[in-house]
Amino acid sequence: MKKKEKGFSLLELMTTIGIISIIGAVGFPAIDNFGDQENYETDLATIRGQINYVRQLSLEDGNAYTIRIVNDTTNTTADLEVWQAQGLNRYNVEYHKSTATKCSDFDGTNDKGTKLADLTKKLEHMTISRCTSTTGNCTKVSASDNFFCFLPDGSSPENARGEMQSSSNAGGKKEYLHTYETGFFNNGTRM
């Protein structure tokens, strides 16, 4: 009687390799895109955190603040700088008289205010460019006007929109950031 050999036949081996190849072909792109999505979500969380923090800061200490966006378009990165207005706070009579305070009116001299360098946050995979209007195609403002601002009561003096462009290693997405006079903000479609 012949002893039966243990092992795999060539057919079983080829079937196993085929199944593993199919699973790898389907699964690898999903794993590869996971890193891109994670990079995008990390920068989006940084943006949300910075806006929430600056808005809360304006409410707590009664000063106006801007988040100035300094883009590095070569590397698709940006710094979110925080500037405290010097002439506009909740104790300023002119602020309370005004019906249409603009970000550029924060101190009446077009000075940016005081930079709070320790509050600057970095976007590693994204740039943000403020648009001249809240609808239609985005016509980008100049670098000196690329900011969002918050008044001493946590509101924003104007509705605004910014175009967020992520790098290829963050999905290469283009999306919009919207801010509203209430101080509320969202990304995606304007509410």
Side-chain angles (χ1 to χ4, degrees):
M1 178 160 158
K2 218 176 187 188
K3 191 173 185 185
K4 202 168 188 185
E5 303 245 349
K6 294 185 180 181
F8 295 106
S9 69
L10 185 57
L11 181 59
E12 290 170 329
L13 186 58
M14 294 302 286
T15 303
T16 303
I17 290 173
I19 291 171
I20 290 172
S21 297
I22 291 170
I23 291 171
V26 171
F28 183 73
I31 291 169
D32 189 40
N33 288 340
F34 177 75
D36 292 353
Q37 185 64 26
E38 186 176 329
N39 290 340
Y40 181 80
E41 292 295 331
T42 298
D43 274 1
L44 196 55
T46 300
I47 294 166
R48 289 178 181 148
Q50 189 72 328
I51 292 173
N52 280 327
Y53 180 76
V54 171
R55 186 168 176 256
Q56 184 65 33
L57 193 60
S58 69
L59 283 166
E60 287 177 4
D61 71 9
N63 285 296
Y65 289 89
T66 60
I67 299 175
R68 296 193 168 272
I69 301 138
V70 181
N71 290 321
D72 177 353
T73 54
T74 304
N75 297 312
T76 319
T77 63
D79 288 334
L80 304 178
E81 299 176 346
V82 178
W83 292 74
Q84 180 181 10
Q86 295 305 296
L88 185 60
N89 58 49
R90 74 173 70 135
Y91 310 109
N92 185 317
V93 175
E94 294 305 312
Y95 162 65
H96 292 288
K97 285 182 183 177
S98 177
T99 57
T101 306
K102 295 228 181 337
C103 292
S104 58
D105 297 338
F106 272 9
D107 59 13
T109 62
N110 287 325
D111 187 2
K112 293 179 185 178
T114 303
K115 181 179 177 182
L116 306 175
D118 56 327
L119 298 181
T120 298
K121 299 291 182 192
K122 181 125 180 122
L123 301 178
E124 299 292 337
H125 308 284
M126 190 181 294
T127 59
I128 304 173
S129 299
R130 186 169 167 170
C131 306
T132 57
S133 73
T134 58
T135 60
N137 292 332
C138 181
T139 302
K140 297 172 183 171
V141 298
S142 67
S144 62
D145 292 329
N146 198 22
F147 59 84
F148 297 95
C149 58
F150 295 94
L151 298 173
D153 62 2
S155 68
S156 183
E158 55 201 350
N159 291 326
R161 175 176 68 142
E163 182 180 87
M164 301 184 303
Q165 177 64 56
S166 64
S167 64
S168 59
N169 60 348
K173 296 179 186 180
K174 185 187 293 184
E175 192 174 33
Y176 292 100
L177 172 68
H178 307 279
T179 61
Y180 304 88
E181 290 180 9
T182 60
F184 176 75
F185 66 96
N186 74 300
N187 60 296
T189 305
R190 189 164 191 85
M191 299 176 129

